[in-house]
Amino acid sequence: MSEQNCLVANDWICGEYLRSRSQELIDATVQHVWITVVSVLIGLVVAFPLALLARRSPRLAGPVLGLTTVLYTIPSLAMFSLLLPFFGLSAALVITGLVLYSLTILVRNILAGLQAVPDEAREAARGMGYGPGRLLWEVELPLALPALMAGLRIATVSTVALTTVGSIVDRGGLGNLIEDALPSFFKAQVLTASVLCVLLAVAADLLLLGVQRALTPWTRIRTARAGAGRETTRTAKTRMRGAH
């Protein structure tokens, strides 16, 4: 009875709300994850050739980066209004807006990662007969992965948060629950949906971090060696002080 009363009392934490609205929460979470994943994947597909274009032609780097930055500064309501005539009130409207917002992060990080590849690595690969395509996929891209994955993690977490704005067209996942609860200030629903958004962002970031560590084992080896080197230096200094 006390747990049911938490709905009447409009408590922030209410177990009865979780039990009675469990399917609604699951449906909203699934929609949120689906929109986020599709948006980030399409953003990555679009950002990669743009970064390659900016790297190949320095004259285009400024306009490409400038355009993606301008897109990111457009308020979400204005962005959706501009896209509405093309996509209508659909999930495609929200996904397209989220893709455009993700480009400024993804393009910059992919470009930075490719530009950070040592020239010695490129020259060595060319000396071994690597063509442009093979050089990109087997040498440059693996070395650029840390920067690329860092950008992907930031873009994903940002997209998890921005997906809630899609509630204005009923395609906002957990944002739908937050918007529905605001007129009556349904505390349990607002808090639960907000916490689930945060948990999704944290889970996505940890998952991508695990993927990054699996794809770049040499970074862990380098870090371990650096740590071992620092420890050896401290040990040597300690022994020298003891000798004096």
Side-chain angles (χ1 to χ4, degrees):
M1 178 64 69
S2 60
E3 290 186 351
Q4 292 180 352
N5 288 338
C6 68
L7 288 173
V8 178
N10 196 22
D11 294 333
W12 284 103
I13 301 175
C14 183
E16 181 60 25
Y17 168 76
L18 297 177
R19 280 189 290 273
S20 61
R21 305 290 184 89
S22 59
Q23 190 58 51
E24 186 179 20
L25 290 169
I26 292 172
D27 293 342
T29 302
V30 170
Q31 184 186 70
H32 204 108
V33 171
W34 176 76
I35 291 176
T36 298
V37 171
V38 172
S39 300
V40 172
L41 289 179
I42 295 177
L44 191 60
V45 170
V46 175
F48 191 71
L50 288 177
L52 291 179
L53 179 64
R55 199 261 313 248
R56 182 182 295 273
S57 178
R59 290 184 303 174
L60 294 177
V64 168
L65 295 177
L67 176 61
T68 58
T69 301
V70 169
L71 290 174
Y72 194 78
T73 62
I74 299 176
S76 55
L77 291 177
M79 176 72 79
F80 289 162
S81 298
L82 293 172
L83 296 174
L84 184 60
F86 302 98
F87 300 101
L89 298 175
S90 64
L93 170 68
V94 179
I95 291 172
T96 302
L98 295 176
V99 168
L100 295 176
Y101 282 133
S102 70
L103 292 181
T104 185
I105 300 170
L106 293 174
V107 172
R108 287 179 181 276
N109 278 72
I110 296 172
L111 180 60
L114 292 173
Q115 291 176 335
V117 175
D119 292 334
E120 296 81 2
R122 294 192 180 94
E123 293 301 324
R126 292 191 184 101
M128 296 173 62
Y130 280 46
R134 189 181 179 191
L135 174 63
L136 173 64
W137 291 105
E138 297 186 16
V139 178
E140 293 179 317
L141 192 56
L143 293 176
L145 266 179
L148 189 156
M149 291 300 299
L152 184 60
R153 289 169 59 193
I154 296 172
T156 301
V157 171
S158 175
T159 302
V160 169
L162 287 172
T163 296
T164 58
V165 182
S167 61
I168 61 175
V169 294
D170 199 31
R171 296 293 191 280
L174 294 166
N176 294 341
L177 300 182
I178 296 174
E179 184 180 32
D180 292 343
L182 287 180
S184 61
F185 196 48
F186 189 0
K187 296 179 181 178
Q189 185 160 305
V190 171
L191 178 63
T192 302
S194 300
V195 169
L196 285 174
C197 282
V198 174
L199 292 178
L200 283 180
V202 172
D205 188 54
L206 292 176
L207 176 61
L208 290 174
L209 177 60
V211 172
Q212 177 180 342
R213 289 174 63 84
L215 294 177
T216 58
W218 62 87
T219 58
R220 299 198 304 274
I221 296 173
R222 188 166 54 211
T223 301
R225 287 178 176 175
R230 288 193 295 268
E231 184 63 29
T232 301
T233 302
R234 284 196 295 267
T235 302
K237 289 181 177 179
T238 301
R239 289 179 177 177
M240 290 175 64
R241 293 192 189 99
H244 289 294

